[in-house]
Amino acid sequence: MNEQQVLKINVRGGEDTLRAPRLASEFLERCLSLKKNRDEMQLVIVELATNLEKHAKGGVLILKEIQESDEKGVLIQSLDWGPGIADVNEAMRDRFSTSGSLGLGLGTVNRLMDEIRIEPRAKNGQGTVITCKKLDSGVQESSIRSPLQIGAASRPHPNMRQNGDSFVVKSTKDTAFFAVIDGLGHGQFAHRASHKARLYLENHYKGSFNEIFRGVGYECRSTRGVVMSAARIDWKSKKLSLASIGNVETKIYGSLAPVRIPTRRGILGQGYPKPKIIEQDWDPMMQIVMFSDGLSSHWHEEDVQRLSMESAQKSAAHFLRKYAKDSDDATILIAKTKKS
């Protein structure tokens, strides 16, 4: 393995915000193979350098190559001895700059990077350390044709035009990722929260569950917040991973006795709750049902039996029609093996 590459860039004045991405260009060429990843990293470097110059009167950017067996990419740290970030919520909010900079804001940095952490540099709160990670990964064609069918159905509160629920379905090499998101309450503010969470997931679904849930939490800090459950099936290694915060439920039917996955209390966007993560073997006979609390969880046996006989999409539509409550948004997602 080659020695890990490190680049240090001092930021003292306004000219350094333009010089920093130029200095990093060759380093990024060596460490990131995808142009899209290099371009996004350049934007992040400009934003972090601008923050150092504007808010801390200077600091340092340290770029490190990630060369691990399962991860390759770049880690960047922004270090300063400024007054610290008093309101991380405001710092993560998207905004335009009033001082002529790009003004992306750390909210945009959060969406561009696979991981972001913001911590005080000293115990008394002085200084700030911002750590970001960008993995050099792209969506690859699966070496095995997906054996899964995934169906989803969703509708807003009967008296509302905008849906406070949303869902995500994504595939990558040999895996499928899916999630159900429920914005707190209903109407436009719940819709805004779930929409921001969905956009984040669509760009970060390949990360670890801890990183994904932390990123959604950052993304939703300026909203009411969301609760969420997510799953990843690796059909090559036959592994199932599930994670949740709040009352989006998951039930598993199939070869085993019905399983109701426990959830962990909390709201993404309010504090930093860690998700409940469960990992187990995936059996192709499993039918995984994920749904927001806008659906009743008490189902008739004949409806459960339909899961194995009907397509995932037809089953999702049936459950939504029959069990959706009149008092809330409602979403259900079903994943099962395709019929041969």
Side-chain angles (χ1 to χ4, degrees), residues 72-101:
K72 297 186 184 303
V74 172
L75 184 141
I76 179 169
Q77 281 192 315
S78 169
L79 306 169
D80 68 65
W81 284 113
I85 298 179
D87 189 343
V88 176
N89 187 30
E90 178 63 26
M92 297 298 291
R93 193 188 301 269
D94 291 334
R95 65 193 188 279
F96 289 101
S97 171
T98 57
S99 60
S101 71

mmCIF file of all heavy atoms in Angstrom, residues 72-101:
data_model
loop_
_atom_site.group_PDB
_atom_site.id
_atom_site.type_symbol
_atom_site.label_atom_id
_atom_site.label_comp_id
_atom_site.label_asym_id
_atom_site.label_seq_id
_atom_site.Cartn_x
_atom_site.Cartn_y
_atom_site.Cartn_z
ATOM 1 N N LYS A 72 -11.960 4.454 -0.198
ATOM 2 C CA LYS A 72 -10.942 5.285 -0.822
ATOM 3 C C LYS A 72 -11.557 6.643 -1.069
ATOM 4 O O LYS A 72 -12.719 6.748 -1.467
ATOM 5 C CB LYS A 72 -10.448 4.663 -2.137
ATOM 6 C CG LYS A 72 -9.754 3.316 -1.957
ATOM 7 C CD LYS A 72 -9.149 2.810 -3.254
ATOM 8 C CE LYS A 72 -8.554 1.417 -3.075
ATOM 9 N NZ LYS A 72 -7.541 1.373 -2.014
ATOM 10 N N GLY A 73 -10.783 7.695 -0.828
ATOM 11 C CA GLY A 73 -11.306 9.029 -1.007
ATOM 12 C C GLY A 73 -10.434 10.051 -0.318
ATOM 13 O O GLY A 73 -9.221 9.881 -0.191
ATOM 14 N N VAL A 74 -11.069 11.135 0.157
ATOM 15 C CA VAL A 74 -10.337 12.246 0.779
ATOM 16 C C VAL A 74 -11.062 12.686 2.041
ATOM 17 O O VAL A 74 -12.295 12.812 2.052
ATOM 18 C CB VAL A 74 -10.210 13.438 -0.188
ATOM 19 C CG1 VAL A 74 -9.619 14.646 0.522
ATOM 20 C CG2 VAL A 74 -9.361 13.071 -1.393
ATOM 21 N N LEU A 75 -10.305 12.909 3.110
ATOM 22 C CA LEU A 75 -10.808 13.507 4.341
ATOM 23 C C LEU A 75 -10.221 14.909 4.440
ATOM 24 O O LEU A 75 -9.016 15.096 4.216
ATOM 25 C CB LEU A 75 -10.421 12.676 5.549
ATOM 26 C CG LEU A 75 -10.968 13.146 6.903
ATOM 27 C CD1 LEU A 75 -11.367 11.959 7.766
ATOM 28 C CD2 LEU A 75 -9.953 14.007 7.648
ATOM 29 N N ILE A 76 -11.055 15.898 4.738
ATOM 30 C CA ILE A 76 -10.568 17.270 4.886
ATOM 31 C C ILE A 76 -10.987 17.803 6.248
ATOM 32 O O ILE A 76 -12.124 17.597 6.690
ATOM 33 C CB ILE A 76 -11.091 18.181 3.758
ATOM 34 C CG1 ILE A 76 -10.582 19.616 3.947
ATOM 35 C CG2 ILE A 76 -12.601 18.145 3.650
ATOM 36 C CD1 ILE A 76 -10.835 20.515 2.762
ATOM 37 N N GLN A 77 -10.045 18.459 6.920
ATOM 38 C CA GLN A 77 -10.317 19.099 8.200
ATOM 39 C C GLN A 77 -10.054 20.591 8.095
ATOM 40 O O GLN A 77 -9.049 21.018 7.515
ATOM 41 C CB GLN A 77 -9.447 18.511 9.311
ATOM 42 C CG GLN A 77 -9.946 17.177 9.834
ATOM 43 C CD GLN A 77 -9.231 16.771 11.106
ATOM 44 O OE1 GLN A 77 -8.014 16.878 11.199
ATOM 45 N NE2 GLN A 77 -9.989 16.300 12.082
ATOM 46 N N SER A 78 -10.977 21.374 8.649
ATOM 47 C CA SER A 78 -10.809 22.814 8.784
ATOM 48 C C SER A 78 -10.589 23.110 10.261
ATOM 49 O O SER A 78 -11.428 22.777 11.100
ATOM 50 C CB SER A 78 -12.053 23.542 8.269
ATOM 51 O OG SER A 78 -12.013 24.908 8.617
ATOM 52 N N LEU A 79 -9.444 23.725 10.594
ATOM 53 C CA LEU A 79 -9.068 23.988 11.981
ATOM 54 C C LEU A 79 -8.874 25.488 12.186
ATOM 55 O O LEU A 79 -8.185 26.148 11.389
ATOM 56 C CB LEU A 79 -7.764 23.262 12.333
ATOM 57 C CG LEU A 79 -7.722 21.749 12.067
ATOM 58 C CD1 LEU A 79 -6.310 21.224 12.203
ATOM 59 C CD2 LEU A 79 -8.645 21.028 13.030
ATOM 60 N N ASP A 80 -9.455 26.034 13.258
ATOM 61 C CA ASP A 80 -9.244 27.448 13.554
ATOM 62 C C ASP A 80 -9.289 27.675 15.057
ATOM 63 O O ASP A 80 -9.706 26.798 15.824
ATOM 64 C CB ASP A 80 -10.291 28.320 12.844
ATOM 65 C CG ASP A 80 -11.709 28.138 13.388
ATOM 66 O OD1 ASP A 80 -11.942 28.478 14.570
ATOM 67 O OD2 ASP A 80 -12.577 27.657 12.640
ATOM 68 N N TRP A 81 -8.855 28.855 15.465
ATOM 69 C CA TRP A 81 -8.950 29.259 16.866
ATOM 70 C C TRP A 81 -9.873 30.465 17.003
ATOM 71 O O TRP A 81 -9.662 31.354 17.811
ATOM 72 C CB TRP A 81 -7.563 29.586 17.437
ATOM 73 C CG TRP A 81 -6.749 28.368 17.737
ATOM 74 C CD1 TRP A 81 -5.609 27.965 17.127
ATOM 75 C CD2 TRP A 81 -7.047 27.378 18.719
ATOM 76 N NE1 TRP A 81 -5.160 26.779 17.655
ATOM 77 C CE2 TRP A 81 -6.019 26.389 18.638
ATOM 78 C CE3 TRP A 81 -8.073 27.192 19.647
ATOM 79 C CZ2 TRP A 81 -6.000 25.265 19.455
ATOM 80 C CZ3 TRP A 81 -8.043 26.079 20.459
ATOM 81 C CH2 TRP A 81 -7.022 25.130 20.360
ATOM 82 N N GLY A 82 -10.918 30.488 16.196
ATOM 83 C CA GLY A 82 -11.904 31.558 16.259
ATOM 84 C C GLY A 82 -12.832 31.401 17.439
ATOM 85 O O GLY A 82 -12.620 30.579 18.340
ATOM 86 N N PRO A 83 -13.928 32.174 17.455
ATOM 87 C CA PRO A 83 -14.851 32.160 18.600
ATOM 88 C C PRO A 83 -15.723 30.922 18.675
ATOM 89 O O PRO A 83 -16.467 30.743 19.638
ATOM 90 C CB PRO A 83 -15.710 33.409 18.367
ATOM 91 C CG PRO A 83 -15.669 33.613 16.886
ATOM 92 C CD PRO A 83 -14.299 33.174 16.451
ATOM 93 N N GLY A 84 -15.651 30.040 17.675
ATOM 94 C CA GLY A 84 -16.513 28.858 17.661
ATOM 95 C C GLY A 84 -17.831 29.149 16.973
ATOM 96 O O GLY A 84 -18.156 30.301 16.673
ATOM 97 N N ILE A 85 -18.590 28.127 16.700
ATOM 98 C CA ILE A 85 -19.890 28.279 16.049
ATOM 99 C C ILE A 85 -20.964 28.245 17.129
ATOM 100 O O ILE A 85 -21.247 27.201 17.714
ATOM 101 C CB ILE A 85 -20.121 27.161 15.009
ATOM 102 C CG1 ILE A 85 -19.046 27.245 13.904
ATOM 103 C CG2 ILE A 85 -21.514 27.265 14.402
ATOM 104 C CD1 ILE A 85 -19.165 26.174 12.853
ATOM 105 N N ALA A 86 -21.539 29.406 17.386
ATOM 106 C CA ALA A 86 -22.520 29.502 18.469
ATOM 107 C C ALA A 86 -23.817 28.789 18.116
ATOM 108 O O ALA A 86 -24.470 28.197 18.978
ATOM 109 C CB ALA A 86 -22.795 30.976 18.784
ATOM 110 N N ASP A 87 -24.208 28.853 16.843
ATOM 111 C CA ASP A 87 -25.479 28.275 16.423
ATOM 112 C C ASP A 87 -25.230 27.374 15.209
ATOM 113 O O ASP A 87 -25.222 27.837 14.067
ATOM 114 C CB ASP A 87 -26.469 29.390 16.068
ATOM 115 C CG ASP A 87 -27.889 28.872 15.829
ATOM 116 O OD1 ASP A 87 -28.038 27.646 15.629
ATOM 117 O OD2 ASP A 87 -28.823 29.691 15.834
ATOM 118 N N VAL A 88 -25.010 26.105 15.469
ATOM 119 C CA VAL A 88 -24.767 25.159 14.373
ATOM 120 C C VAL A 88 -25.991 25.073 13.474
ATOM 121 O O VAL A 88 -25.880 24.922 12.257
ATOM 122 C CB VAL A 88 -24.400 23.760 14.924
ATOM 123 C CG1 VAL A 88 -24.251 22.751 13.790
ATOM 124 C CG2 VAL A 88 -23.095 23.838 15.709
ATOM 125 N N ASN A 89 -27.167 25.213 14.066
ATOM 126 C CA ASN A 89 -28.406 25.186 13.289
ATOM 127 C C ASN A 89 -28.382 26.249 12.197
ATOM 128 O O ASN A 89 -28.691 25.991 11.033
ATOM 129 C CB ASN A 89 -29.597 25.400 14.219
ATOM 130 C CG ASN A 89 -30.920 25.213 13.511
ATOM 131 O OD1 ASN A 89 -31.019 24.446 12.562
ATOM 132 N ND2 ASN A 89 -31.931 25.928 13.967
ATOM 133 N N GLU A 90 -28.002 27.472 12.556
ATOM 134 C CA GLU A 90 -27.938 28.552 11.580
ATOM 135 C C GLU A 90 -26.812 28.316 10.588
ATOM 136 O O GLU A 90 -26.952 28.587 9.393
ATOM 137 C CB GLU A 90 -27.735 29.891 12.306
ATOM 138 C CG GLU A 90 -27.603 31.093 11.387
ATOM 139 C CD GLU A 90 -28.856 31.346 10.561
ATOM 140 O OE1 GLU A 90 -29.949 30.955 10.991
ATOM 141 O OE2 GLU A 90 -28.729 31.940 9.472
ATOM 142 N N ALA A 91 -25.693 27.786 11.059
ATOM 143 C CA ALA A 91 -24.565 27.535 10.165
ATOM 144 C C ALA A 91 -24.901 26.503 9.108
ATOM 145 O O ALA A 91 -24.376 26.550 7.982
ATOM 146 C CB ALA A 91 -23.355 27.068 10.975
ATOM 147 N N MET A 92 -25.774 25.540 9.429
ATOM 148 C CA MET A 92 -26.146 24.498 8.489
ATOM 149 C C MET A 92 -27.270 24.925 7.552
ATOM 150 O O MET A 92 -27.632 24.195 6.637
ATOM 151 C CB MET A 92 -26.588 23.240 9.241
ATOM 152 C CG MET A 92 -25.508 22.611 10.090
ATOM 153 S SD MET A 92 -24.094 22.044 9.140
ATOM 154 C CE MET A 92 -24.821 20.664 8.262
ATOM 155 N N ARG A 93 -27.798 26.116 7.755
ATOM 156 C CA ARG A 93 -28.910 26.593 6.927
ATOM 157 C C ARG A 93 -28.383 27.094 5.586
ATOM 158 O O ARG A 93 -27.376 27.799 5.515
ATOM 159 C CB ARG A 93 -29.635 27.726 7.661
ATOM 160 C CG ARG A 93 -30.982 28.098 7.064
ATOM 161 C CD ARG A 93 -31.496 29.356 7.759
ATOM 162 N NE ARG A 93 -31.652 29.169 9.182
ATOM 163 C CZ ARG A 93 -32.773 28.762 9.761
ATOM 164 N NH1 ARG A 93 -33.816 28.465 9.020
ATOM 165 N NH2 ARG A 93 -32.836 28.639 11.066
ATOM 166 N N ASP A 94 -29.052 26.752 4.483
ATOM 167 C CA ASP A 94 -28.677 27.272 3.175
ATOM 168 C C ASP A 94 -28.897 28.783 3.159
ATOM 169 O O ASP A 94 -29.895 29.290 3.638
ATOM 170 C CB ASP A 94 -29.528 26.638 2.077
ATOM 171 C CG ASP A 94 -29.208 25.164 1.895
ATOM 172 O OD1 ASP A 94 -28.075 24.776 2.211
ATOM 173 O OD2 ASP A 94 -30.089 24.420 1.439
ATOM 174 N N ARG A 95 -27.958 29.498 2.553
ATOM 175 C CA ARG A 95 -28.090 30.951 2.541
ATOM 176 C C ARG A 95 -27.225 31.539 1.433
ATOM 177 O O ARG A 95 -26.306 30.904 0.944
ATOM 178 C CB ARG A 95 -27.654 31.539 3.881
ATOM 179 C CG ARG A 95 -26.166 31.327 4.160
ATOM 180 C CD ARG A 95 -25.846 31.625 5.597
ATOM 181 N NE ARG A 95 -24.412 31.617 5.842
ATOM 182 C CZ ARG A 95 -23.707 30.527 6.029
ATOM 183 N NH1 ARG A 95 -24.278 29.336 5.974
ATOM 184 N NH2 ARG A 95 -22.403 30.586 6.252
ATOM 185 N N PHE A 96 -27.518 32.776 1.065
ATOM 186 C CA PHE A 96 -26.648 33.511 0.162
ATOM 187 C C PHE A 96 -25.680 34.338 0.995
ATOM 188 O O PHE A 96 -26.003 34.782 2.092
ATOM 189 C CB PHE A 96 -27.459 34.446 -0.744
ATOM 190 C CG PHE A 96 -28.257 33.727 -1.784
ATOM 191 C CD1 PHE A 96 -29.616 33.527 -1.618
ATOM 192 C CD2 PHE A 96 -27.650 33.247 -2.921
ATOM 193 C CE1 PHE A 96 -30.366 32.855 -2.570
ATOM 194 C CE2 PHE A 96 -28.390 32.583 -3.877
ATOM 195 C CZ PHE A 96 -29.743 32.385 -3.706
ATOM 196 N N SER A 97 -24.513 34.565 0.455
ATOM 197 C CA SER A 97 -23.518 35.336 1.183
ATOM 198 C C SER A 97 -23.786 36.823 1.019
ATOM 199 O O SER A 97 -24.222 37.278 -0.029
ATOM 200 C CB SER A 97 -22.123 35.001 0.650
ATOM 201 O OG SER A 97 -21.167 35.875 1.186
ATOM 202 N N THR A 98 -23.517 37.592 2.051
ATOM 203 C CA THR A 98 -23.628 39.042 1.963
ATOM 204 C C THR A 98 -22.264 39.690 1.794
ATOM 205 O O THR A 98 -22.143 40.903 1.781
ATOM 206 C CB THR A 98 -24.271 39.614 3.247
ATOM 207 O OG1 THR A 98 -23.496 39.217 4.382
ATOM 208 C CG2 THR A 98 -25.682 39.098 3.397
ATOM 209 N N SER A 99 -21.220 38.873 1.639
ATOM 210 C CA SER A 99 -19.873 39.428 1.550
ATOM 211 C C SER A 99 -19.174 39.064 0.252
ATOM 212 O O SER A 99 -17.968 39.164 0.155
ATOM 213 C CB SER A 99 -19.038 38.934 2.735
ATOM 214 O OG SER A 99 -18.967 37.522 2.720
ATOM 215 N N GLY A 100 -19.942 38.617 -0.752
ATOM 216 C CA GLY A 100 -19.333 38.376 -2.047
ATOM 217 C C GLY A 100 -18.756 36.998 -2.249
ATOM 218 O O GLY A 100 -18.232 36.690 -3.311
ATOM 219 N N SER A 101 -18.831 36.115 -1.250
ATOM 220 C CA SER A 101 -18.313 34.757 -1.417
ATOM 221 C C SER A 101 -19.370 33.900 -2.107
ATOM 222 O O SER A 101 -20.474 34.340 -2.373
ATOM 223 C CB SER A 101 -17.963 34.141 -0.060
ATOM 224 O OG SER A 101 -19.143 33.862 0.647
#
